[in-house]
């Protein structure tokens, strides 16, 4: 089968990385798989950038994003609406020749309702591998406590000027019309997101199923040449906690709760703890432990960071199926986090880490201490087996064969 995967980027961001890994999993099943993206960052020969975007178009996209976030949406929320100038790929050779279209994260200027309508009008099987809520909401990626997507959006709490016929209500109706045009299969990367989609007002207009994101376990099992403990003078008696800080200003990422948890831990235990921080965001100085900032890391460097750590902590309050958890477990490092989204599907109590009730910083601190005092085998096969390229590729293969 010829399959084309559509994603805003190929390796920039968790959804993009998951899409590229999915391409490999499907290719291993014998399919001809190509990716079509706006921003190509890798040297992958199977990834093609749309190209042709002018300097003006780039600035227009950025201007729209700023306008939406500053003038339409309240602080602390992220909504995506129709781009002023999206990319219609319905006539692209890779799309025209494809037997199956697989959508991933296609926001930030790639496609809106106009472009999706042109794509759905081709009447090809569409599988939308969801990395957040956007496929079945009026525009939000994560709704927080709002459940309006279950009955119909409008009067959106994220909008500066909400109304019964605001942009979210119009976009949800447009998605309904889109799904009536060509009924898609919405694929939740986590069981949690799959069930959220099934509860939505759009559920009756789509097929909904679950297929997890895959991971190349053999890559993370390799011992990299970079020994971060030795490089940074970290002794064997030191307990190393790793966390990734991509955007500490986003409340959904739980940085405030993490600081509270570490403060509690510092007051309660005499463990000699060192923090490793991966990401491009410089953190404030209120951290209660010495922190080493590693900056933005490539896959090999991130693997070394996982392997140098005794524990990976992910304090997110809302998440789908984070790649970082799979990467950490595949590297032999247990995980602590909140019982949020799809995290409990990977972090099993006492088997691959520990969980705290979402938002409870004291519980998170206790879970971190408990994990650091535990003796882990480093073998998380029981959890990882269903996320392998072969396992995920086989599920998708059966799904596509049935619906083609």
């Amino acid at each position: 089968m010829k399959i084309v995967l559509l994603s805003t980027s190929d390796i920039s961001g968790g959804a993009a990385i998951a899409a590229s890994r999915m391409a490999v999993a499907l290719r291993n099943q014998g399919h001809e798989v190509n990716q079509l993206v706006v921003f190509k960052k890798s040297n992958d020969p199977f990834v093609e950038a749309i190209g042709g975007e002018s300097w003006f178009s780039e600035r227009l996209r950025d201007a729209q994003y700023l306008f939406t976030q500053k003038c339409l949406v309240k602080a602390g929320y992220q909504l995506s609406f129709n781009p002023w100038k999206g990319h219609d790929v319905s006539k692209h050779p890779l799309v025209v020749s494809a037997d199956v279209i697989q959508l991933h994260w296609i926001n930030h200027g790639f496609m809106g309702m106009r472009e999706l309508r042109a794509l759905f009008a081709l009447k090809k099987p569409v599988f939308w591998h969801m990395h957040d809520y956007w496929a079945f909401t009026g525009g939000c990626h994560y709704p927080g406590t709002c459940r309006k997507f279950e009955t119909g959006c409008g009067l959106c709490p994220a909008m500066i000027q909400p109304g019964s016929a605001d942009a979210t209500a119009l976009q949800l109706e447009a998605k309904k019309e889109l799904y009536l045009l060509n009924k898609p299969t919405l694929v939740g990367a986590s069981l949690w997101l799959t069930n959220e989609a099934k509860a939505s007002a759009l559920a009756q207009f789509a097929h909904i199923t679950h297929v997890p994101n895959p991971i190349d376990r053999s890559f993370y099992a390799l011992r990299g040449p970079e020994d971060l403990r030795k490089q940074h003078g970290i002794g064997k008696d030191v307990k190393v906690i790793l966390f990734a800080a991509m955007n500490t200003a986003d409340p959904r990422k739980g940085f405030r709760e993490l600081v509270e948890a570490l403060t509690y831990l510092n007051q309660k235990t005499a463990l000699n703890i060192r923090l490793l921080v991966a990401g491009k965001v410089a953190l404030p100085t209120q951290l209660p432990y010495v922190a080493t900032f590693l900056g933005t890391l490539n896959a090999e460097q991130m693997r070394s960071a996982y392997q140098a750590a005794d524990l990976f902590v992910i304090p997110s309050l809302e998440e789908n199926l984070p790649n970082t958890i799979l990467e950490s477990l595949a590297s032999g490092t247990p995980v602590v986090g909140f019982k949020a989204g799809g995290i409990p599907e990977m972090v099993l109590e006492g088997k691959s880490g520990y969980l705290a009730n979402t938002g409870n910083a004291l519980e998170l601190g206790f879970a971190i201490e408990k994990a650091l005092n535990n003796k882990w085998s480093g073998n998380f096969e029981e959890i990882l087996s269903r996320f392998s390229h072969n396992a995920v590729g086989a599920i998708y293969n059966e799904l596509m064969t049935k619906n083609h």
Side-chain angles (χ1 to χ4, degrees):
M1 235 182 258
K2 289 186 177 181
I3 306 170
V4 61
L5 275 65
L6 304 178
S7 177
T8 301
S9 176
D10 54 345
I11 58 172
S12 181
I17 292 171
S20 292
R21 290 174 179 170
M22 186 65 74
V24 175
L26 293 172
R27 209 170 286 126
N28 288 349
Q29 293 292 312
H31 299 293
E32 182 180 329
V33 185
N34 290 283
Q35 288 176 264
L36 194 56
V37 303
V38 179
F39 308 109
K40 180 178 179 179
K41 304 293 184 181
S42 72
N43 295 319
D44 189 335
F46 297 104
V47 177
E48 182 175 331
I50 294 170
E53 187 170 46
S54 65
W55 177 90
F56 176 76
S57 295
E58 290 182 9
R59 300 291 79 77
L60 188 64
R61 182 191 64 248
D62 293 342
Q64 181 185 13
Y65 177 78
L66 288 173
F67 173 79
T68 300
Q69 294 304 117
K70 299 294 184 182
C71 301
L72 300 180
V73 180
K74 294 177 183 176
Y77 293 89
Q78 184 187 12
L79 277 71
S80 292
F81 298 120
N82 290 324
W84 291 338
K85 189 179 184 301
H87 298 268
D88 181 1
V89 297
S90 61
K91 296 182 177 61
H92 191 283
L94 288 178
V95 174
V96 172
S97 64
D99 300 305
V100 172
I101 296 169
Q102 190 180 101
L103 296 173
H104 283 265
W105 200 85
I106 46 84
N107 301 113
H108 197 54
F110 188 176
M111 285 189 282
M113 291 302 104
R114 294 182 301 272
E115 294 78 24
L116 286 170
R117 176 171 283 277
L119 196 66
F120 276 52
L122 297 175
K123 300 295 185 178
K124 294 175 183 282
V126 174
F127 294 83
W128 197 330
H129 195 84
M130 301 179 294
H131 300 278
D132 56 31
Y133 283 73
W134 195 81
F136 56 89
T137 69
C140 64
H141 294 275
Y142 286 93
T145 58
C146 176
R147 306 297 296 180
K148 287 181 178 292
F149 68 89
E150 294 181 337
T151 54
C153 292
L155 295 173
C156 177
M159 298 286 288
I160 292 175
Q161 293 185 323
S164 58
D166 61 24
T168 64
L170 296 176
Q171 182 156 244
L172 193 70
E173 184 62 26
K175 285 176 183 172
K176 173 185 172 182
E177 294 174 2
L178 184 70
Y179 294 173
L180 288 172
L181 177 65
N182 182 12
K183 192 173 187 177
T185 299
L186 303 184
V187 183
S190 64
L191 284 167
W192 162 77
L193 188 62
T194 304
N195 289 330
E196 289 290 85
K198 288 179 179 179
S200 74
L202 297 181
Q204 60 184 308
F205 308 110
H207 305 291
I208 301 175
T209 191
H210 162 60
V211 182
N213 296 330
I215 187 171
D216 182 358
R217 293 152 61 202
S218 61
F219 172 82
Y220 288 95
L222 293 172
R223 297 302 302 185
E226 195 172 11
D227 186 341
L228 292 184
R229 278 182 173 260
K230 184 177 180 180
Q231 181 180 330
H232 295 285
I234 302 173
K236 293 183 179 179
D237 63 325
V238 177
K239 295 292 188 180
V240 175
I241 297 174
L242 170 69
F243 63 98
M246 295 308 295
N247 184 5
T248 57
D250 184 352
R252 189 172 61 85
K253 294 300 182 181
F255 178 66
R256 181 178 65 83
E257 287 77 10
L258 175 64
V259 172
E260 288 183 25
L262 293 176
T263 301
Y264 162 78
L265 188 66
N266 187 42
Q267 295 168 349
K268 184 179 183 297
T269 180
L271 287 173
N272 188 1
I273 293 175
R274 179 82 167 265
L275 303 177
L276 291 181
V277 182
K280 61 184 177 182
V281 180
L283 298 181
T285 57
Q286 75 262 33
L287 290 172
Y289 293 106
V290 174
T292 298
F293 298 90
L294 303 174
T296 302
L297 306 180
N298 61 30
E300 289 81 7
Q301 293 168 328
M302 197 68 201
R303 178 182 60 193
S304 296
Y306 290 125
Q307 293 174 354
D310 295 287
L311 181 68
F312 176 69
V313 177
I314 178 166
S316 298
L317 305 176
E318 287 183 296
E319 281 288 0
N320 179 22
L321 198 79
N323 294 322
T324 51
I325 293 179
L326 293 177
E327 293 165 1
S328 182
L329 296 179
S331 302
T333 302
V335 179
V336 161
F338 286 126
K339 298 175 183 177
I343 292 176
E345 297 171 35
M346 298 177 285
V347 183
L348 305 185
E349 199 76 8
K351 293 184 177 181
S352 57
Y354 294 105
L355 296 172
N357 285 315
T358 303
N360 191 319
L362 292 182
E363 283 191 17
L364 184 65
F366 177 75
I368 292 172
E369 181 186 23
K370 192 176 179 181
L372 289 176
N373 285 322
N374 196 0
K375 292 184 178 180
W376 302 94
S377 68
N379 182 357
F380 303 112
E381 172 66 21
E382 180 183 349
I383 290 88
L384 290 169
S385 59
R386 75 183 188 95
F387 298 98
S388 70
H389 279 154
N390 287 339
V392 174
I395 297 171
Y396 244 120
N397 190 52
E398 181 179 358
L399 188 62
M400 292 186 300
T401 301
K402 187 185 301 183
N403 288 274
H404 183 253

